[in-house]
Amino acid sequence: MKLKLAKLVLLTAAFSISAATFAETATPTPTPNPMPTPDPKPMPAPVPVAVPSPPQISAKAHLLMDYNSGQILIGENTEERLPPASLTKMMTSYVIGQELKSGRIKPADMVTISQNAWAKNYGDSSKMFIEVGKQVSVDNLNKGIIIQSGNDACIAMAEHIAGSEDSFASLMNQWADKLGMKDTHFVNSHGLYNVDHYSTAHDMARLGQALIRDLPNEYAIYSQKDFTFNGITQHNRNRLLWDKTLVVDGIKTGHVSEVGYNLVASATGPEGMRLISVIIGSNSEQQRAEESKKLLTYGFRFYQNVQPYKQGAELARQRIWMGDKSEIGLGTDRDINLLVPRGSAAKLKADFQLNRELNAPIKQGETVGTIFLRIDGKDVAQYPLVALDTVEEGGIFSRLWDYLVLLFQQLFG
């Protein structure tokens, strides 16, 4: 049955969420009315907060991302395909972390170093100084990749996990697809330049987010400032780990002459905030650290964390057809946290859009649309709109009645 009502339904349950609401952590309840319902109680005017323009960044591409929501706060050329250089090792590390997590490999496993992985093959590039024919533990090789940025260690682990670097690169690309890295393609495990080896600032931020979220034990290694192997101590190249004004706990540097100096960094801040910054194509090691610090400092200073809804919050009740109930509760299946410019929480509004007509049966947790969060008409985040109840198919007479009502609306609505 084709019905006009099967067209996309936009619930204009737009409403203002006051700063006081956030301060009290109460869950706002939207109204199905087309206009926001005014608060009858007088509210003090919010204290004005001056938010300057984002800093000017010297790099080919950059962005600042909220870890919790994935929203890009500021950025430029975020989707441009560029050589990631040793940022590639974040994916090598991610694959290793997943293999460790699944138990397919163990930290104490010993890896025999092949001719391909010999440190002498890598000249002046970064390496761990492993020797052909020797055995090195997975744990040490993993640290050599993350802390020392060892190209030789990458080859050793690629061969240990997948048999060859080509097969390992295929594995890297499969994980990239799963993580939504649509503009990334890997041909090696270390990031040495290849025209077919590329990524974007946005994809690198997604990868950093995945490392922190999915593999906390693996990510913890990124905070280590040095590592000693074979009598040689090398320091982590991420200078922000030593910065006293930020709480940076990772993640990775990179450099190839074709693009310049790269850095993905992550730091924690007030109100449970965590930010991820990406710099691709700066002019020096010092500059990539300075530009990253500009982004992180700006984010912590001029954004605030808000939680408009908690998991299970009912955002609307909507008519459902052909069911054993006439209405169904719609809401969110997760806590919704996002960052907004300081002083703009009162401007946050929500719209809900159904992706289909609501006909029973519908199961609890089933996605039926999208929640759009906006400030001044601009989308800042999207989340699934889910059914909070299960509604089974109604009896024959109730379904017949609903059919007649829908038919009447089709003919005369």
Side-chain angles (χ1 to χ4, degrees):
M1 180 176 66
K2 272 184 131 183
L3 299 173
K4 291 181 181 178
L5 292 176
K7 293 180 179 179
L8 200 62
V9 180
L10 177 63
L11 302 182
T12 53
F15 59 94
S16 297
I17 304 172
S18 68
T21 300
F22 288 114
E24 296 167 5
T25 65
T27 303
T29 302
T31 170
N33 296 334
M35 295 296 292
T37 302
D39 186 347
K41 296 180 293 185
M43 296 293 293
V47 177
V49 177
V51 177
S53 299
Q56 296 296 309
I57 301 298
S58 296
K60 290 181 173 63
H62 71 272
L63 69 74
L64 182 67
M65 189 177 86
D66 172 27
Y67 163 76
N68 288 308
S69 69
Q71 68 185 115
I72 296 178
L73 306 180
I74 52 179
E76 188 172 333
N77 300 327
T78 60
E79 313 302 331
E80 183 179 351
R81 293 178 175 181
L82 295 166
S86 284
L87 300 185
T88 299
K89 291 167 181 142
M90 292 164 55
M91 180 56 83
T92 301
S93 164
Y94 187 85
V95 175
I96 293 169
Q98 288 289 357
E99 293 291 310
L100 288 165
K101 184 178 178 179
S102 70
R104 287 187 288 269
I105 62 174
K106 293 180 171 53
D109 289 349
M110 300 304 292
V111 178
T112 301
I113 306 306
S114 72
Q115 189 76 27
N116 292 332
W118 195 10
K120 287 187 177 180
N121 295 333
Y122 296 97
D124 295 332
S125 67
S126 56
K127 48 190 173 288
M128 186 182 171
F129 296 102
I130 53 180
E131 300 175 50
V132 66
K134 297 289 183 68
Q135 287 199 319
V136 183
S137 70
V138 164
D139 185 56
N140 280 338
L141 289 169
N142 198 23
K143 290 175 180 175
I145 291 167
I146 294 171
I147 303 168
Q148 298 180 335
S149 200
N151 295 330
D152 48 357
C154 290
I155 298 295
M157 282 304 302
E159 292 179 341
H160 181 65
I161 290 172
S164 69
E165 189 177 27
D166 289 344
S167 294
F168 188 81
S170 173
L171 196 58
M172 296 167 73
N173 288 320
Q174 290 177 44
W175 278 111
D177 288 341
K178 290 180 181 179
L179 297 177
M181 299 170 64
K182 301 182 185 301
D183 290 295
T184 294
H185 184 256
F186 299 112
V187 299
N188 60 55
S189 60
H190 40 62
L192 292 179
Y193 181 75
N194 185 299
V195 68
D196 294 320
H197 189 100
Y198 53 81
S199 188
T200 67
H202 195 179
D203 279 357
M204 284 292 109
R206 289 187 178 104
L207 179 53
Q209 182 187 38
L211 268 165
I212 299 167
R213 178 191 65 227
D214 301 340
L215 302 167
N217 292 335
E218 182 76 4
Y219 182 69
I221 302 172
Y222 285 84
S223 65
Q224 295 186 31
K225 295 179 178 179
D226 58 61
F227 177 60
T228 301
F229 177 77
N230 208 15
I232 302 170
T233 298
Q234 296 189 66
H235 296 284
N236 196 315
R237 292 171 174 81
N238 184 357
R239 296 187 180 189
L240 293 181
L241 293 176
W242 284 265
D243 193 290
K244 301 295 185 183
T245 65
L246 293 168
V247 187
V248 173
D249 55 12
I251 42 187
K252 193 71 188 72
T253 62
H255 170 257
V256 288
S257 58
E258 287 79 4
V259 70
Y261 292 82
N262 305 340
L263 173 58
V264 177
S266 183
T268 56
E271 304 170 347
M273 292 170 62
R274 177 184 279 279
L275 300 176
I276 297 173
S277 64
V278 181
I279 296 290
I280 297 181
S282 64
N283 294 324
S284 67
E285 290 186 24
Q286 180 176 345
Q287 187 182 64
R288 72 186 174 192
E290 291 173 347
E291 302 304 277
S292 297
K293 184 174 180 177
K294 286 181 188 178
L295 291 172
L296 293 168
T297 301
Y298 181 86
F300 288 128
R301 175 65 181 84
F302 295 110
Y303 280 81
Q304 67 181 105
N305 189 31
V306 296
Q307 186 183 70
Y309 306 116
K310 292 185 177 181
Q311 182 179 7
E314 184 177 288
L315 310 186
R317 293 199 69 78
Q318 182 69 5
R319 181 70 163 93
I320 184 168
W321 305 96
M322 311 298 176
D324 59 359
K325 300 175 185 175
S326 62
E327 288 188 340
I328 187 170
L330 306 178
T332 173
D333 60 354
R334 67 196 70 184
D335 290 341
I336 293 182
N337 295 280
L338 71 155
L339 300 186
V340 298
R342 292 194 180 276
S344 67
K347 300 179 182 179
L348 188 64
K349 298 178 184 292
D351 288 335
F352 313 104
Q353 186 173 350
L354 298 178
N355 57 22
R356 56 189 170 90
E357 186 179 84
L358 298 179
N359 290 322
I362 290 179
K363 300 297 184 184
Q364 183 181 28
E366 188 175 334
T367 298
V368 296
T370 305
I371 303 168
F372 297 91
L373 295 174
R374 298 183 173 111
I375 293 178
D376 294 331
K378 180 182 178 182
D379 285 351
V380 293
Q382 298 179 19
Y383 296 91
L385 181 68
V386 303
L388 299 180
D389 316 311
T390 293
V391 178
E392 302 292 352
E393 192 174 61
I396 186 169
F397 291 109
S398 66
R399 283 184 284 130
L400 178 60
W401 176 256
D402 281 355
Y403 171 79
L404 292 173
V405 171
L406 290 171
L407 181 62
F408 181 85
Q409 290 182 354
Q410 181 186 24
L411 294 174
F412 303 105

